Amino acid sequence: MKALVLEERGKLSLRDFPVSMQVGPNDVRIGIHTVGVCGSDVHYFTHGKIGPFVVDEPMILGHEASGYILEAGSAVTHLKAGDRVCMEPGIPDPTSRASKLGIYNVDPAVRFWATPPIQGCLIPEVVHPAAYSYKLPENVSFAEGAIIEPFAIGMQSAVRARIQPGDIAAVSGSGTIGIMVALAALAGGCAKVIVADMAQPKLDIIAAYEGIEVVNIADTKLASAVAQATDNWGADVVFECSGAASAILDLPQIVCPGGTIVLVGMPVDPVPVDIVGLQAREARVETVFRYANIYDRAINLIASGKVDLKPLISATFAFEDSIAAFERAAEQRPSDIKLQIQVAK
Amino acid sequence: MKALVLEERGKLSLRDFPVSMQVGPNDVRIGIHTVGVCGSDVHYFTHGKIGPFVVDEPMILGHEASGYILEAGSAVTHLKAGDRVCMEPGIPDPTSRASKLGIYNVDPAVRFWATPPIQGCLIPEVVHPAAYSYKLPENVSFAEGAIIEPFAIGMQSAVRARIQPGDIAAVSGSGTIGIMVALAALAGGCAKVIVADMAQPKLDIIAAYEGIEVVNIADTKLASAVAQATDNWGADVVFECSGAASAILDLPQIVCPGGTIVLVGMPVDPVPVDIVGLQAREARVETVFRYANIYDRAINLIASGKVDLKPLISATFAFEDSIAAFERAAEQRPSDIKLQIQVAK
Amino acid sequence: MKALVLEERGKLSLRDFPVSMQVGPNDVRIGIHTVGVCGSDVHYFTHGKIGPFVVDEPMILGHEASGYILEAGSAVTHLKAGDRVCMEPGIPDPTSRASKLGIYNVDPAVRFWATPPIQGCLIPEVVHPAAYSYKLPENVSFAEGAIIEPFAIGMQSAVRARIQPGDIAAVSGSGTIGIMVALAALAGGCAKVIVADMAQPKLDIIAAYEGIEVVNIADTKLASAVAQATDNWGADVVFECSGAASAILDLPQIVCPGGTIVLVGMPVDPVPVDIVGLQAREARVETVFRYANIYDRAINLIASGKVDLKPLISATFAFEDSIAAFERAAEQRPSDIKLQIQVAK
Amino acid sequence: MKALVLEERGKLSLRDFPVSMQVGPNDVRIGIHTVGVCGSDVHYFTHGKIGPFVVDEPMILGHEASGYILEAGSAVTHLKAGDRVCMEPGIPDPTSRASKLGIYNVDPAVRFWATPPIQGCLIPEVVHPAAYSYKLPENVSFAEGAIIEPFAIGMQSAVRARIQPGDIAAVSGSGTIGIMVALAALAGGCAKVIVADMAQPKLDIIAAYEGIEVVNIADTKLASAVAQATDNWGADVVFECSGAASAILDLPQIVCPGGTIVLVGMPVDPVPVDIVGLQAREARVETVFRYANIYDRAINLIASGKVDLKPLISATFAFEDSIAAFERAAEQRPSDIKLQIQVAK
């Protein structure tokens, strides 16, 4: 089978690649339909590594996927051939201490698609555990199915925030993840979400959603916008999605007394935090690492129409044009939120 | 000043009634604009009592109110004359043990409008603590302000449920409170809310909201509808709003493993509960008593457009027609959700 | 291998019984050392069934066990031959929806020792998943290891109560489980635990622990004792361990405003609950079903000396005397808390 | 009345000082018995300010106090003349938004003893709101009553940690607050608390408590000690009480996956935090600001014997020797935990 292979930093091929297709009793064999291009895929392409994860051997890219069941293992009961599905890209050891606790996302044994040395899913077929494959309702498209993975990070952030109905939230950073977080926060009970960035094209895209207010921080500080919107009380929840040192330092000025901060953005190095400022408001700070037990609820929200992710799909490429898709992604056009590759015809 | 007075069981007068209008430093004097008619008001009218609360002396009815500030006490900073407001009808002792804990709704010292011997607010002016008076944004009408009180019970239910984004909820009972709970649950993060009743006119009203699915239990059991909607998993949250013994006995069949039940409906006498059934699912059961710290967030949701309560206002009466309003309320027309009285011209 | 077999209701044999000893890669083979006699074992012995679980075929009894590793499967890393262990008797499907959520105790697929048709552990050797086998520290004896199973129910109750440091708790019922709950609540942060029963010998045993106060309800109502101990505020947490209808009806009078009730006792049939009373205090009600993710923390507390379960072991029988152990257990002597059988020499 | 007055930086007098003794209906007049010397008192003495709080006018020091009721206001019901009490030193606006939420500690309007321009309590009599005065049981001494204030910070830390029974905790820093935190964590359900510092005399004092393990970080890293004690899993809860930048940077190596960090120590300036490290474990970070709703539960734990703070009272001075007490406190002797001044004869 042909796969999109990162041979080494900067070099992609669409070529035959041998992959085992052995279906265990709890596995399903899936025909891949659509795969989204993630910033991490692009980073491996342009840099050859992410932190300690180095591409030493050719690796198939892609981890945001939807598809359809070709074959179900003998012990699989909730899926059958023909079902449309989307897949969690990380496979934990289900009996590890973390998995037993329900936080399988932080199981050190997780094997995650397109994270060296694990192969990704930009290939026509994969074998995957049925337990991490989720049936798509009829009214959820393959394109939506493939964008659930990044949305799941937004959802995990919203879950960990423990939003209360009618909360006012602030989001610093309107990159793809910031947008996903804002939409999850809104769907998750916030009355209003104030999104801040300096990239106006991205702000324009998220501003089209009802309940979102945007702030261009070239003009206005997020803290000022929040103070005005909340009668100087502060935001109930602040989602930090920029990873920027200045945004992180400002957090105590944005959150309300007793409020919550969710750290989603990942600054490469340690950054200064105003601990005394956080203490003065007795803020709670949550951190987010991927997601666990999120796909069901993300699908529920898309199926019910409460969350519409379709406007975030900026362009769709044929599988043959996968390399062009990555080249465009590497351009980082300001109005591109999500590029997808359609693997199946 | 003229007030709507319940002289005794079954006998209402619109007549002069002496009320103190002394404004303390932390009080506001409020011109009442709109007052909703609550089932409890009607019950005092028709029965002369609710449980241990007996109308021994003439009592002004009404506790669901909005209005405008006429005068602010010397220590009041967040309100000024002319501000439009809605009011919490219960006034706790703010330094009681319960109030210090943030659960001022369960302070035994609470004085609640139109609960003997406390007077209600169907009168042109009241004095109220500023701390329990909430400014209405420009885009929230007096009518909406006056319906926040019953919506607050829905919101309290949703808060105590600790909804997670994308939950599937079930509501048994589509009376006024059941409807309020369903809308709060939806705004509070549920992907879908399944509402069950046997009164089709009320089901039709709530069914008009997106995200609501209705079940007429004359035809279908709620447990069956939930099983079908959730692939036999059960509802993440079940709000029991009927107070009916049969609905309460069925709860373990509706809730999912590890799920939550919120008891909102108030059965007069003790009712049988299937404790072993609840244990088998290790359900958590929350109970609700009025609300605390809810008005701000209810106003946020109405102001942002996430919750639209206007379709629930079935009719509005002039203050002069207050008695007619109560007579109609006592009829319990199946398509009446909320009747309101406009006190101000 | 000889095993203690319940042939049918009322008939026990200590006889050879064929059991598969195939050790999978994630399994361990364990030499059983000590097994406690549980009320459920005795109930199968005396009644032949518990609810829907009927002993149709000969079944080995016993599920409260400790032992030592004889052989570890090829993929097992945290245990090796010679390690002393105790075991969770319930084995879930680790990739079920409930298990993924961390609540593997409510996975409908759980296979539980000595629950028809699953065999128990009163036999010299068993094969068990390593993930549900827990290493015992040197200072925790096999006898203590085997009593961790009932203590785990107390711990699960204490965890679900979300005790805050310095809480005052009440426990209705001082049977084996009530005692375990009281000790777990005390170790888990309660300042004081008030235990109520009418069986004075059991009250005497638990009264010997510091921090425990006992009430014989033949003389004094639990509600009165709690009111006195808490200045009429009520107990922060009430653990209902009796399953008695009268105790369940009284719960609203015992719990404080905003407090917590944990339903541990299992009344066979639905029982009347004073829902309005619970609502007036806005109580939260938790239910308990076995335990999940508890063994590690139970072992921690025993190893650190904070919990001493040794006084609760009323007598120890040799494996050869297993039938005598069950006969004594069936007598239900008031001063017997836990009988154990030592399987290994 | 004579009071201990900080005239200006470095200059203390024991001299007459005029203080209003007007008792409002909700107030009590209290004869001060014992007052502890806090690090903040000493810092005002030696530096004349703490951050933005500058001693511009003569100020009475002291805020850790116990005493006895001399007179109760007309509306006070839970206290009467002769009752022994301890007092919360911070008085919030009870109807502020924060107070209504139950987090009165973060009410910006709090007036806190011995924080400019509010006078402290090193004076024979004070008037205080009854709501923030707590009755001491007979078996709790005035000395213990006066040490509840610093212990309350430990308790607030333990409450916010949401300890589960059997947790393993780590505490970095064994100053007075670190010790209070360690004891609160232990009483609050931890099986074991590992305390790290480089000051051996303080480690020796806390090491005398059962359940405490100490690590001198001159020899061993806290992360190593925790890894060894937890089989490389990490601590369930890490209480950071040192405020030291190096300890804060190390936090991700100490906490377990899904674990909790509580930031108690107050670094003067922003300090670098390893956010990606925290995310990799999906840690939750709580911050602490004083305490709210803690005194009742702290008193419960002392009264029940679960917490013994008496060994932490290093020396007691007569009121006449108050200045000597402050001079000794300023020496910061390594074996001094808490110095107290007995105001009443």
Side-chain angles (χ1 to χ4, degrees):
Chain A
M1 279 188 297
K2 280 208 158 19
L4 183 74
V5 179
L6 177 61
E7 307 290 357
E8 59 186 56
R9 175 181 167 171
K11 185 172 172 202
L12 289 167
S13 323
L14 197 61
R15 58 128 161 139
D16 278 323
F17 197 93
V19 176
S20 157
M21 284 292 149
Q22 193 162 357
V23 178
N26 294 300
D27 293 333
V28 285
R29 186 162 57 87
I30 299 168
I32 295 290
H33 186 283
T34 297
V35 177
V37 178
C38 174
S40 70
D41 293 308
V42 177
H43 201 273
Y44 281 123
F45 169 41
T46 55
H47 292 71
K49 64 175 180 176
I50 295 180
F53 295 99
V54 181
V55 179
D56 290 326
E57 304 278 333
M59 179 179 78
I60 304 175
L61 291 175
H63 64 267
E64 304 177 355
S66 62
Y68 41 91
I69 304 294
L70 294 170
E71 177 187 352
S74 57
V76 175
T77 56
H78 77 292
L79 292 173
K80 61 178 190 307
D83 284 347
R84 300 161 63 255
V85 290
C86 63
M87 293 81 84
E88 281 194 71
I91 309 171
D93 168 2
T95 62
S96 69
R97 185 160 176 176
S99 295
K100 283 167 65 187
L101 286 162
I103 50 174
Y104 59 79
N105 53 324
V106 289
D107 178 14
V110 165
R111 304 169 70 249
F112 201 92
W113 278 346
T115 301
I118 311 299
Q119 300 298 330
C121 63
L122 270 162
I123 185 169
E125 291 184 18
V126 300
V127 171
H128 204 64
Y132 303 99
S133 304
Y134 299 84
K135 193 170 173 177
L136 293 174
E138 278 181 34
N139 68 344
V140 177
S141 68
F142 283 120
E144 290 173 292
I147 203 172
I148 284 175
E149 200 277 341
F151 181 58
I153 297 171
M155 288 288 292
Q156 178 83 354
S157 306
V159 167
R160 286 183 63 81
R162 287 184 248 144
I163 293 164
Q164 293 197 323
D167 274 355
I168 306 290
V171 174
S172 57
S174 69
T176 304
I177 293 302
I179 286 175
M180 295 296 176
V181 167
L183 294 181
L186 210 50
C190 287
K192 190 195 287 188
V193 179
I194 303 168
V195 181
D197 205 312
M198 47 204 324
Q200 194 60 42
K202 293 206 193 300
L203 289 177
D204 291 344
I205 290 166
I206 185 69
Y209 287 87
E210 196 182 7
I212 299 284
E213 191 178 307
V214 297
V215 179
N216 192 317
I217 54 173
D219 307 324
T220 309
K221 290 200 68 161
L222 176 54
S224 310
V226 166
Q228 188 168 1
T230 63
D231 214 2
N232 291 311
W233 176 248
D236 297 293
V237 185
V238 186
F239 295 96
E240 206 306 295
C241 301
S242 72
S246 60
I248 291 166
L249 199 58
D250 278 355
L251 289 169
Q253 275 118 59
I254 303 171
V255 73
C256 75
T260 303
I261 291 164
V262 185
L263 298 176
V264 190
M266 303 178 76
V268 177
D269 295 310
V271 288
V273 172
D274 175 8
I275 288 178
V276 172
L278 295 174
Q279 288 167 330
R281 305 220 145 189
E282 217 177 47
R284 174 172 59 93
V285 182
E286 298 278 353
T287 63
V288 170
F289 188 71
R290 294 172 182 159
Y291 37 75
N293 299 302
I294 288 294
Y295 268 54
D296 290 301
R297 45 186 72 254
I299 293 170
N300 286 346
L301 284 168
I302 295 167
S304 73
K306 275 193 84 168
V307 170
D308 182 8
L309 302 176
K310 294 187 294 291
L312 307 177
I313 300 168
S314 310
T316 304
F317 293 77
F319 190 38
E320 295 75 12
D321 302 326
S322 292
I323 296 174
F326 271 80
E327 284 166 350
R328 170 152 159 193
E331 289 174 29
Q332 302 196 27
R333 298 188 190 176
S335 61
D336 277 358
I337 305 294
K338 177 55 64 184
L339 305 182
Q340 289 188 331
I341 295 167
Q342 192 175 319
V343 176
K345 299 287 171 183
Chain B
M1 278 188 297
K2 280 210 160 14
L4 183 75
V5 179
L6 178 60
E7 306 290 356
E8 58 186 57
R9 175 179 168 176
K11 184 171 170 200
L12 291 167
S13 321
L14 197 61
R15 58 127 162 142
D16 278 323
F17 197 94
V19 176
S20 159
M21 284 290 149
Q22 195 165 353
V23 179
N26 294 301
D27 292 333
V28 285
R29 186 162 57 86
I30 299 168
I32 295 291
H33 187 283
T34 296
V35 177
V37 177
C38 174
S40 70
D41 294 309
V42 177
H43 202 273
Y44 282 122
F45 169 41
T46 54
H47 291 71
K49 63 176 180 177
I50 295 180
F53 296 98
V54 180
V55 180
D56 290 325
E57 304 277 333
M59 180 180 79
I60 304 175
L61 291 175
H63 63 265
E64 305 178 353
S66 62
Y68 41 91
I69 303 294
L70 294 170
E71 178 187 349
S74 57
V76 174
T77 56
H78 77 292
L79 292 173
K80 62 179 190 306
D83 284 348
R84 299 162 63 254
V85 291
C86 63
M87 293 81 84
E88 280 193 72
I91 310 171
D93 168 2
T95 62
S96 70
R97 186 159 176 177
S99 295
K100 284 167 65 186
L101 285 162
I103 48 174
Y104 58 79
N105 51 327
V106 288
D107 177 15
V110 164
R111 304 168 72 248
F112 200 91
W113 277 346
T115 300
I118 311 299
Q119 301 298 330
C121 65
L122 269 162
I123 185 170
E125 292 186 16
V126 300
V127 172
H128 204 64
Y132 302 98
S133 304
Y134 299 83
K135 194 170 173 178
L136 294 174
E138 278 181 36
N139 67 344
V140 176
S141 68
F142 283 118
E144 289 172 293
I147 203 171
I148 284 175
E149 201 277 342
F151 181 56
I153 297 171
M155 288 288 293
Q156 178 84 354
S157 306
V159 167
R160 285 183 64 81
R162 288 184 248 144
I163 293 164
Q164 292 198 324
D167 274 354
I168 307 290
V171 174
S172 58
S174 70
T176 305
I177 293 302
I179 287 176
M180 295 296 175
V181 166
L183 294 181
L186 209 51
C190 287
K192 187 195 291 190
V193 178
I194 303 168
V195 181
D197 206 311
M198 47 203 325
Q200 194 60 43
K202 293 206 194 300
L203 289 175
D204 291 344
I205 290 167
I206 186 70
Y209 287 87
E210 196 182 7
I212 299 285
E213 191 178 308
V214 297
V215 179
N216 192 316
I217 54 173
D219 307 324
T220 310
K221 288 200 70 163
L222 176 53
S224 311
V226 166
Q228 186 167 2
T230 62
D231 216 1
N232 291 310
W233 176 247
D236 297 293
V237 185
V238 186
F239 295 96
E240 206 305 296
C241 302
S242 72
S246 59
I248 291 167
L249 198 59
D250 278 355
L251 289 168
Q253 275 119 59
I254 304 171
V255 72
C256 76
T260 302
I261 290 164
V262 185
L263 298 175
V264 189
M266 303 178 76
V268 176
D269 295 310
V271 289
V273 172
D274 175 7
I275 289 180
V276 172
L278 296 174
Q279 288 167 331
R281 305 219 144 188
E282 217 178 46
R284 175 172 58 94
V285 182
E286 297 278 353
T287 63
V288 169
F289 189 71
R290 296 173 181 160
Y291 36 75
N293 299 302
I294 288 294
Y295 268 55
D296 289 302
R297 47 185 70 254
I299 293 171
N300 286 346
L301 284 169
I302 295 168
S304 74
K306 277 193 83 168
V307 171
D308 182 7
L309 302 176
K310 294 188 294 293
L312 306 177
I313 301 169
S314 311
T316 305
F317 292 76
F319 190 39
E320 292 76 10
D321 303 326
S322 291
I323 296 174
F326 272 80
E327 285 166 349
R328 170 154 161 192
E331 290 174 30
Q332 302 198 28
R333 297 189 192 176
S335 61
D336 277 359
I337 305 296
K338 177 57 64 185
L339 306 182
Q340 289 188 331
I341 296 167
Q342 192 176 320
V343 176
K345 302 282 170 183
Chain C
M1 278 188 298
K2 280 209 160 17
L4 183 74
V5 180
L6 178 60
E7 306 289 357
E8 57 186 58
R9 175 180 168 176
K11 184 172 170 202
L12 291 167
S13 320
L14 197 61
R15 56 128 163 139
D16 277 323
F17 197 93
V19 177
S20 157
M21 285 291 148
Q22 196 163 352
V23 178
N26 294 300
D27 293 334
V28 285
R29 186 162 56 86
I30 300 168
I32 295 290
H33 188 283
T34 296
V35 177
V37 177
C38 174
S40 71
D41 294 308
V42 177
H43 201 274
Y44 281 122
F45 169 41
T46 55
H47 292 69
K49 62 175 180 175
I50 295 180
F53 296 99
V54 180
V55 180
D56 291 325
E57 305 277 333
M59 179 179 80
I60 304 175
L61 290 175
H63 63 265
E64 306 178 354
S66 62
Y68 41 92
I69 304 294
L70 295 170
E71 178 186 351
S74 57
V76 175
T77 55
H78 77 291
L79 292 172
K80 61 178 193 306
D83 285 346
R84 299 162 63 254
V85 291
C86 62
M87 293 80 85
E88 280 194 71
I91 310 172
D93 168 2
T95 63
S96 70
R97 186 159 175 177
S99 295
K100 283 167 66 187
L101 286 162
I103 49 174
Y104 58 81
N105 51 324
V106 288
D107 177 15
V110 164
R111 304 169 70 249
F112 200 91
W113 278 346
T115 301
I118 310 300
Q119 300 299 330
C121 63
L122 270 163
I123 186 171
E125 292 185 17
V126 299
V127 173
H128 204 65
Y132 302 98
S133 305
Y134 300 83
K135 193 169 173 180
L136 293 174
E138 277 181 37
N139 68 343
V140 177
S141 68
F142 283 118
E144 290 174 293
I147 203 171
I148 284 176
E149 201 278 342
F151 181 57
I153 297 171
M155 288 289 292
Q156 179 83 354
S157 306
V159 166
R160 287 184 63 80
R162 288 183 249 143
I163 293 164
Q164 292 198 322
D167 274 354
I168 306 290
V171 175
S172 57
S174 69
T176 305
I177 294 302
I179 287 176
M180 294 297 177
V181 166
L183 294 180
L186 209 52
C190 287
K192 187 196 288 190
V193 179
I194 302 168
V195 182
D197 206 310
M198 47 204 324
Q200 193 61 42
K202 292 208 194 299
L203 289 177
D204 291 344
I205 289 166
I206 185 69
Y209 287 87
E210 196 182 6
I212 299 284
E213 191 178 307
V214 298
V215 179
N216 193 316
I217 55 174
D219 307 323
T220 310
K221 290 199 69 161
L222 177 54
S224 312
V226 166
Q228 187 168 0
T230 62
D231 216 1
N232 291 310
W233 176 248
D236 297 292
V237 185
V238 186
F239 296 96
E240 205 305 295
C241 301
S242 72
S246 58
I248 291 167
L249 198 59
D250 278 354
L251 288 168
Q253 275 118 60
I254 304 171
V255 73
C256 76
T260 302
I261 290 164
V262 185
L263 298 176
V264 190
M266 304 178 76
V268 177
D269 296 309
V271 288
V273 172
D274 176 7
I275 289 179
V276 172
L278 295 174
Q279 288 167 330
R281 305 219 145 187
E282 219 178 45
R284 174 171 59 93
V285 182
E286 298 278 353
T287 63
V288 169
F289 189 70
R290 293 172 181 160
Y291 36 75
N293 298 302
I294 289 293
Y295 268 55
D296 290 302
R297 47 185 70 254
I299 293 170
N300 286 346
L301 284 169
I302 295 168
S304 74
K306 275 194 86 169
V307 170
D308 181 8
L309 302 176
K310 294 187 294 293
L312 306 177
I313 301 169
S314 310
T316 305
F317 292 76
F319 190 38
E320 294 76 10
D321 302 326
S322 292
I323 296 174
F326 272 79
E327 285 166 349
R328 171 154 160 190
E331 290 175 30
Q332 302 197 28
R333 296 188 190 176
S335 60
D336 275 359
I337 305 295
K338 177 57 63 186
L339 306 183
Q340 291 188 330
I341 295 168
Q342 192 175 321
V343 175
K345 301 287 171 181
Chain D
M1 279 189 295
K2 281 209 158 19
L4 184 74
V5 179
L6 178 60
E7 306 289 357
E8 60 184 56
R9 175 180 169 176
K11 185 172 170 201
L12 290 167
S13 319
L14 197 61
R15 57 126 162 142
D16 278 323
F17 197 93
V19 176
S20 159
M21 283 292 147
Q22 196 163 353
V23 179
N26 294 300
D27 293 333
V28 285
R29 187 161 56 87
I30 299 167
I32 296 290
H33 187 283
T34 297
V35 177
V37 178
C38 173
S40 70
D41 294 310
V42 176
H43 202 273
Y44 281 122
F45 168 42
T46 54
H47 292 72
K49 64 176 181 176
I50 294 179
F53 295 99
V54 180
V55 180
D56 289 326
E57 303 278 333
M59 179 178 80
I60 303 176
L61 290 174
H63 63 265
E64 305 176 354
S66 62
Y68 42 91
I69 304 294
L70 294 170
E71 179 187 350
S74 57
V76 174
T77 56
H78 77 290
L79 291 174
K80 61 178 192 306
D83 284 347
R84 300 162 62 253
V85 291
C86 63
M87 292 82 84
E88 280 193 73
I91 309 172
D93 169 2
T95 63
S96 69
R97 186 160 176 176
S99 295
K100 283 167 65 188
L101 286 162
I103 49 173
Y104 59 80
N105 52 325
V106 288
D107 177 15
V110 165
R111 304 168 73 247
F112 200 92
W113 278 346
T115 301
I118 311 299
Q119 299 298 329
C121 64
L122 270 162
I123 184 170
E125 292 185 17
V126 299
V127 172
H128 204 64
Y132 303 99
S133 304
Y134 300 83
K135 193 168 171 178
L136 293 175
E138 276 181 36
N139 68 344
V140 177
S141 67
F142 284 118
E144 289 172 292
I147 203 171
I148 284 176
E149 200 278 339
F151 181 57
I153 297 171
M155 288 288 293
Q156 178 83 354
S157 306
V159 167
R160 286 182 64 80
R162 286 184 249 146
I163 293 164
Q164 292 198 322
D167 275 355
I168 306 289
V171 174
S172 57
S174 71
T176 304
I177 294 301
I179 286 175
M180 295 297 176
V181 166
L183 294 181
L186 210 50
C190 287
K192 188 196 287 191
V193 179
I194 304 169
V195 182
D197 205 310
M198 50 203 324
Q200 194 59 42
K202 293 207 193 301
L203 289 177
D204 291 344
I205 290 167
I206 185 69
Y209 286 87
E210 196 182 5
I212 299 285
E213 190 178 307
V214 297
V215 179
N216 192 316
I217 55 173
D219 307 323
T220 310
K221 290 199 71 162
L222 176 53
S224 313
V226 166
Q228 187 168 1
T230 62
D231 215 359
N232 291 311
W233 175 248
D236 297 292
V237 185
V238 186
F239 296 95
E240 205 306 294
C241 302
S242 73
S246 59
I248 291 167
L249 199 59
D250 278 355
L251 288 169
Q253 276 118 62
I254 304 171
V255 73
C256 76
T260 302
I261 291 165
V262 184
L263 298 175
V264 189
M266 304 179 76
V268 177
D269 296 309
V271 288
V273 171
D274 175 8
I275 288 179
V276 172
L278 295 175
Q279 288 166 331
R281 305 220 145 188
E282 217 178 45
R284 173 171 60 93
V285 182
E286 298 278 352
T287 63
V288 170
F289 188 71
R290 295 173 181 158
Y291 37 75
N293 298 303
I294 289 294
Y295 268 55
D296 289 302
R297 49 185 70 254
I299 292 171
N300 287 347
L301 285 168
I302 295 168
S304 75
K306 275 193 85 168
V307 171
D308 182 8
L309 302 176
K310 294 186 295 293
L312 307 176
I313 301 169
S314 310
T316 304
F317 292 76
F319 190 38
E320 293 76 10
D321 302 327
S322 291
I323 296 174
F326 272 79
E327 285 167 348
R328 172 154 159 192
E331 288 175 31
Q332 302 194 27
R333 296 189 191 175
S335 60
D336 276 359
I337 306 295
K338 177 56 65 184
L339 306 182
Q340 290 188 330
I341 296 169
Q342 192 176 321
V343 176
K345 298 287 171 183

